[in-house]
Amino acid sequence: MSSGPLDELIGLLARLPGLGPRSARRAALALVQKRRVLLEPLAEAMTEVARTARECLICGNIGTSEQCDICSDPKRDGSTICVVESVADLWAMERAQVFRGRYHVMGGTLSALDGIGPEDLNLPRLADRIAQDGVTEVILALGATVDGQTTAHYIADMLADRGIPVTSLAQGVPVGGELDYLDDGTITAALSARRQMR
Amino acid sequence: MSSGPLDELIGLLARLPGLGPRSARRAALALVQKRRVLLEPLAEAMTEVARTARECLICGNIGTSEQCDICSDPKRDGSTICVVESVADLWAMERAQVFRGRYHVMGGTLSALDGIGPEDLNLPRLADRIAQDGVTEVILALGATVDGQTTAHYIADMLADRGIPVTSLAQGVPVGGELDYLDDGTITAALSARRQMR
Ligand SMILES: [Zn+2]
Ligand SMILES: [Zn+2]
């Protein structure tokens, strides 16, 4: 159909979420036709991200050093930790510009179906942070899915004897909805109406 | 929201056709999470395409040398030239695996609205090829749009005094449809039922 390197590029693009074979072909053509303004900068950006991106040792966010921008920002309130499922959900929270504390990225939710247990998630580090850091509130910003709510209750139970409030986003999160798909206003409403779990 | 290189990557991904801001963020996260199997190979493939991809001097297809794979393939029938609007349409024809001649990529269609005239398209080279190459048929595989059909008639007029048949894809191309969106069977039917324009 086309030359080797281009076929290779199309095959790899088709593996990105949201791109199928047709859109991968269209994207590849657009790249070739915009070599200077799109293809070359994108190749460089990918090389740079591959070289520099790393997981924050504290929260699990993606950054370029051992501590991410949020964990190393002295203006962020370290006494409030917002627990999210994924970096995508952390970004969704940040876009709402309403939360000024720090995060903890779980890297997933508990899931009996997928065989994901507590040991597969970033849970021990959360307990450590709460023990060390003078945390006064843990906000669980997990999706209103079965697995999300199971995980929220598991974490609330895990932290029950710490004597700090564990709250969860409540009003505004549609049942069955995933956080990354919410608009900023919904996230803002859900955060301000958060309810205490215990 | 995130680190500099990642923001840069997301911004560039969002400029690909078919990807918006949200899907660009998801794609960037997938890339970071699949660094070895996706991000690094994709960065390399893009660098390689940027280094090697070039337009075929004969037909306008994309390849890695002065003549594309099709123009340099002795098994392709040089006496039949299929005129297409874009490389995407050339690929659509090739996927149907029914045409064994060579191509001529116009790089667009005539468009009064967009101010695209004959001098903006790869037309002079088409006339040259027909004069030199012992061409016995020109197949116009242009979309059934107003601009596509205007272009088809313009080319048919341009070649009127050459004494060779100029045919066009006919049956099977939906009115208002663009070639790249057709399934293989429709393209096959349209090619075999092509009608002579003059
Ligand atoms: Zn962090
Ligand atoms: Zn060629």
Side-chain angles (χ1 to χ4, degrees):
Chain A
M1 167 189 318
S2 57
S3 63
L6 200 54
D7 281 338
E8 171 89 7
L9 175 59
I10 292 167
L12 288 164
L13 286 171
R15 292 173 55 193
L16 290 176
L19 283 182
R22 175 189 304 280
S23 46
R25 290 192 299 266
R26 293 194 161 253
L29 273 181
L31 286 165
V32 171
Q33 282 155 2
K34 296 175 183 167
R35 187 184 311 218
R36 291 255 176 268
V37 296
L38 195 50
L39 176 55
E40 290 174 359
L42 200 45
E44 279 163 32
M46 286 186 178
T47 303
E48 182 67 8
V49 167
R51 194 178 67 77
T52 62
R54 53 174 302 170
E55 207 169 87
C56 173
L57 291 179
I58 297 173
C59 76
N61 186 19
I62 289 168
T64 53
S65 54
E66 291 196 352
Q67 294 192 18
C68 73
D69 290 351
I70 293 171
C71 285
S72 57
D73 182 351
K75 293 197 293 294
R76 303 291 297 226
D77 172 16
S79 71
T80 310
I81 292 182
C82 178
V83 177
V84 290
E85 178 182 333
S86 66
V87 174
D89 288 349
L90 185 159
W91 290 352
M93 289 293 299
E94 287 295 285
R95 286 198 298 279
Q97 293 187 300
V98 69
F99 178 69
R100 298 302 300 162
R102 298 213 170 110
Y103 292 94
H104 198 79
V105 180
M106 301 294 297
T109 54
L110 298 174
S111 170
L113 204 64
D114 299 332
I116 298 174
E119 68 285 355
D120 300 313
L121 301 179
N122 191 13
L123 274 170
R125 183 81 195 122
L126 176 62
D128 291 351
R129 287 180 73 183
I130 288 162
Q132 294 165 7
D133 293 357
V135 173
T136 58
E137 181 179 2
V138 174
I139 302 172
L140 304 179
L142 300 167
T145 59
V146 172
D147 287 342
Q149 292 307 297
T150 302
T151 308
H153 284 283
Y154 183 92
I155 296 172
D157 287 344
M158 184 181 86
L159 303 178
D161 58 358
R162 304 298 179 105
I164 52 169
V166 177
T167 58
S168 80
L169 296 192
Q171 190 185 323
V173 181
V175 172
E178 291 180 299
L179 213 68
D180 188 35
Y181 286 89
L182 298 185
D183 61 277
D184 299 350
T186 306
I187 287 179
T188 302
L191 186 76
S192 67
R194 64 188 182 271
R195 61 189 168 77
Q196 185 161 346
M197 287 187 71
R198 51 171 32 96
Chain B
M1 165 187 324
S2 58
S3 63
L6 200 54
D7 281 338
E8 170 88 9
L9 176 59
I10 292 167
L12 288 164
L13 286 171
R15 292 173 55 192
L16 289 176
L19 284 182
R22 175 188 306 279
S23 46
R25 289 193 300 266
R26 294 195 160 253
L29 273 181
L31 285 166
V32 171
Q33 282 155 2
K34 297 176 183 167
R35 188 184 309 220
R36 292 254 176 268
V37 296
L38 195 51
L39 177 54
E40 289 175 359
L42 200 45
E44 280 164 31
M46 285 186 179
T47 303
E48 181 67 8
V49 167
R51 195 178 65 78
T52 62
R54 52 173 302 172
E55 205 170 89
C56 173
L57 291 179
I58 295 173
C59 77
N61 186 19
I62 290 167
T64 54
S65 53
E66 291 197 353
Q67 294 193 18
C68 72
D69 290 350
I70 294 171
C71 285
S72 57
D73 183 350
K75 293 198 292 295
R76 304 290 297 226
D77 172 16
S79 71
T80 310
I81 292 182
C82 178
V83 178
V84 290
E85 180 182 330
S86 66
V87 174
D89 288 350
L90 185 159
W91 289 353
M93 289 293 298
E94 286 296 285
R95 286 198 298 279
Q97 293 187 299
V98 67
F99 177 69
R100 298 303 299 163
R102 297 214 171 108
Y103 291 95
H104 197 79
V105 180
M106 301 294 298
T109 54
L110 298 174
S111 170
L113 205 62
D114 298 333
I116 298 173
E119 69 284 355
D120 301 311
L121 301 178
N122 191 13
L123 274 170
R125 183 82 194 121
L126 176 61
D128 290 351
R129 287 179 73 183
I130 287 161
Q132 292 165 6
D133 293 354
V135 173
T136 58
E137 180 178 1
V138 174
I139 302 172
L140 304 179
L142 300 167
T145 59
V146 172
D147 287 342
Q149 293 306 299
T150 301
T151 308
H153 283 284
Y154 183 92
I155 296 172
D157 287 344
M158 183 181 86
L159 302 177
D161 57 358
R162 302 299 177 105
I164 51 171
V166 178
T167 60
S168 81
L169 298 192
Q171 189 184 327
V173 181
V175 172
E178 291 181 298
L179 214 67
D180 188 34
Y181 285 88
L182 298 186
D183 61 277
D184 299 350
T186 306
I187 287 180
T188 302
L191 186 76
S192 66
R194 64 188 183 271
R195 62 188 166 78
Q196 186 160 345
M197 289 187 68
R198 49 171 34 93

